[in-house]
């Protein structure tokens, strides 16, 4: 039997296992999961989301009492999503089918879900990691760094960001609207749950060396980089906005300091060369700020990120019309400085001019012209991104 209990409507917990050629360990995982359900009086089922196994994993799962869902789309996230969508339980627990996680800990997760938690994460560092269960690089660098980034960028109260054994309610999962199909699925779940202010708790669990003779599907550097870039891409503020604002404000401050005259700094004098770099910092900073706003608008419009009320209130003032006004004003300022420079040149009979003095006019004029043009066209682009589509 694939279900422990009576009637489909009575299923409380579905255990979902993603599977790709796990014939060596799948049977013991299914048996342990069903035993945990039975011994604790939990009405539940085991679903194996098979991602195209060629070693007979599907038949093993059925023989040992699991329900198999065939998933043609390759990827860890694709397999899990299909299994979760096929689940009959009110709650879902996901865990790998490599015999590395302790299914006897299922009641710990379910107890928190019954109390009202939306997402219950396992913490292997609190529960214990067996010898050889986690590579040294993952244990002391990869997982701690990525978990720290998750706490810093998204305020996720998680100490083990990438624990593969976690549980959640079906209702909470549906609100997440997860999109990724690969290994990033695990990170996206925690990130979106944090952004949506869902209730996240952790329970201690253990990790043992898996029972497979083949290498794991996880690739240290490839998948580590994928998780790292995912965290950055889901935080446009830290990836684009804050660095851009720092460059812009620093560039403006430096320009205001250097425009009147050279300034001494220690044993050197900062002049028009530094002024040119300051203008470049302003332009580069604006580009980063624009990328940050555009990324946020796109992500919210496409459902990759949830609605942000603070951003929503702020973005109302950054529309096409206000952008065009600001852009045109900047262009006019740049043209005004340029015209005054040409007028000054005409008064000298178009003869040679002091290069340093003229650069103090040329650089601000150039910056205003370029910045104004970028603001105008950027406003059109943001308006295009924000268009409501069917």
């Amino acid at each position: 039997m694939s279900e422990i209990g009576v009637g489909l409507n009575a299923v409380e917990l579905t255990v979902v296992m993603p599977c790709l050629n796990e014939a060596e360990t799948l049977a013991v995982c299914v048996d342990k999961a069903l035993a945990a359900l039975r011994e604790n009086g939990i009405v539940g089922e085991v679903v194996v989301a098979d991602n195209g196994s060629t070693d007979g994993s599907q038949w093993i799962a059925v023989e040992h009492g699991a329900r198999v869902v065939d998933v043609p789309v390759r990827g860890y996230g694709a397999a899990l999503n299909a299994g979760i969508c096929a689940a009959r339980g009110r709650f879902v627990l996901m865990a790998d089918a490599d015999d590395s996680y302790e299914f006897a800990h299922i009641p710990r997760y379910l107890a928190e879900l019954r109390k009202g938690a939306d997402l219950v994460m396992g913490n292997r560092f609190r529960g214990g990691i067996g010898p050889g269960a986690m590579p040294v690089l993952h244990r002391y660098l990869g997982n701690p760094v990525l978990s720290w980034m998750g706490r810093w960028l998204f305020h996720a109260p998680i100490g083990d960001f990438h624990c593969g054994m976690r549980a959640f309610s079906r209702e909470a999962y549906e609100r997440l609207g997860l999109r990724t199909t690969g290994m990033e699925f695990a990170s996206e779940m925690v990130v979106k749950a944090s952004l949506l202010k869902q209730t996240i708790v952790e329970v201690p669990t253990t990790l043992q060396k898996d029972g497979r003779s083949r290498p794991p599907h996880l690739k240290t550097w490839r998948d580590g980089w994928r998780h790292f870039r995912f965290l950055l891409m889901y935080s446009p503020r830290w990836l684009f906005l804050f660095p851009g604002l720092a460059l812009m404000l620093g560039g403006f401050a430096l320009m205001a300091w250097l425009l009147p005259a050279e300034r001494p700094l220690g044993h050197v004098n900062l002049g028009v060369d530094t002024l040119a770099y300051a203008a470049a910092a302003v332009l580069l900073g604006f580009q980063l700020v624009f990328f940050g706003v555009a990324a946020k608008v796109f992500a919210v419009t496409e459902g990759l990120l949830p609605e942000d009320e603070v951003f929503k209130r702020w973005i109302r003032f950054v529309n096409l019309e206000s952008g065009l006004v600001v852009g045109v004003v900047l262009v006019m300022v740049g043209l005004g400085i340029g015209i005054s420079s040409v007028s000054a040149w005409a008064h000298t009979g178009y003869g040679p001019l002091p290069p340093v003095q003229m650069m103090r006019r040329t650089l601000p004029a150039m910056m205003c012209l370029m910045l104004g043009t970028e603001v105008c066209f950027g406003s059109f682009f943001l308006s295009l991104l924000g268009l409501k589509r069917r």
Side-chain angles (χ1 to χ4, degrees), residues 173-357:
Y173 179 80
E174 288 168 3
R175 293 202 307 269
L176 296 179
L178 303 184
R179 299 294 189 89
T180 52
T181 59
M183 296 300 296
E184 301 93 339
F185 181 86
S187 295
E188 185 184 10
M189 179 181 292
V190 181
V191 166
K192 283 195 170 179
S194 300
L195 293 174
L196 287 172
K197 309 298 183 185
Q198 291 188 354
T199 303
I200 306 174
V201 298
E202 275 191 324
V203 295
T205 193
T206 57
L207 183 73
Q208 301 298 325
K209 184 172 173 51
D210 66 62
R212 300 175 297 197
S213 59
R214 62 168 175 79
H217 297 302
L218 182 69
K219 303 298 182 184
T220 297
W221 293 108
R222 182 199 66 184
D223 292 316
W225 164 245
R226 287 170 64 177
H227 283 290
F228 179 77
R229 74 181 186 185
F230 174 85
L231 293 177
L232 287 178
M233 288 190 295
Y234 261 63
S235 182
R237 290 181 305 167
W238 288 101
L239 182 59
F240 299 114
L241 185 61
F242 294 156
L245 286 174
L247 275 173
M248 283 190 71
L249 294 175
F252 276 129
L254 191 56
M255 287 190 72
W257 188 49
L258 293 175
L259 271 175
E262 286 189 356
R263 302 291 185 179
L265 185 66
H267 301 293
V268 298
N269 286 334
L270 303 181
V272 291
D273 292 336
T274 308
L275 189 63
Y277 286 111
V282 172
L283 294 172
L284 179 58
F286 173 79
Q287 287 290 327
L288 292 178
V289 170
F290 173 75
F291 285 148
V293 176
K296 183 76 171 182
V297 171
F298 174 79
V300 172
T301 303
E302 292 298 317
L304 298 173
L305 286 175
E307 293 280 353
D308 186 330
E309 290 303 321
V310 175
F311 180 77
K312 204 171 180 181
R313 289 195 299 268
W314 179 80
I315 200 67
R316 284 185 303 178
F317 301 101
V318 186
N319 53 35
L320 175 59
E321 290 72 21
S322 62
L324 288 176
V325 169
V326 173
V328 169
V329 168
L330 284 169
V331 169
M332 296 302 293
V333 170
L335 286 174
I337 298 173
I339 291 171
S340 70
S341 299
V342 173
S343 176
W345 186 27
H347 280 91
T348 65
Y350 300 104
L353 292 172
V356 172
Q357 179 182 339

Side-chain angles (χ1 to χ4, degrees), residues 46-112:
V46 175
V47 170
V48 172
D50 188 76
N51 215 190
S53 297
T54 57
D55 63 352
S57 292
Q58 302 94 326
W59 303 111
I60 294 172
V62 172
E63 287 175 0
H64 285 261
R67 181 159 57 92
V68 175
V69 175
D70 293 317
V71 187
V73 180
R74 283 297 183 98
Y76 175 78
L80 278 170
N81 182 65
I84 294 165
C85 290
R88 296 166 179 165
R90 175 188 170 197
F91 303 120
V92 176
L93 180 140
M94 55 179 260
D96 297 338
D98 60 1
D99 196 25
S100 60
Y101 287 102
E102 181 54 78
F103 287 97
H105 293 166
I106 285 177
R108 300 180 183 181
Y109 293 82
L110 186 56
E112 296 296 336

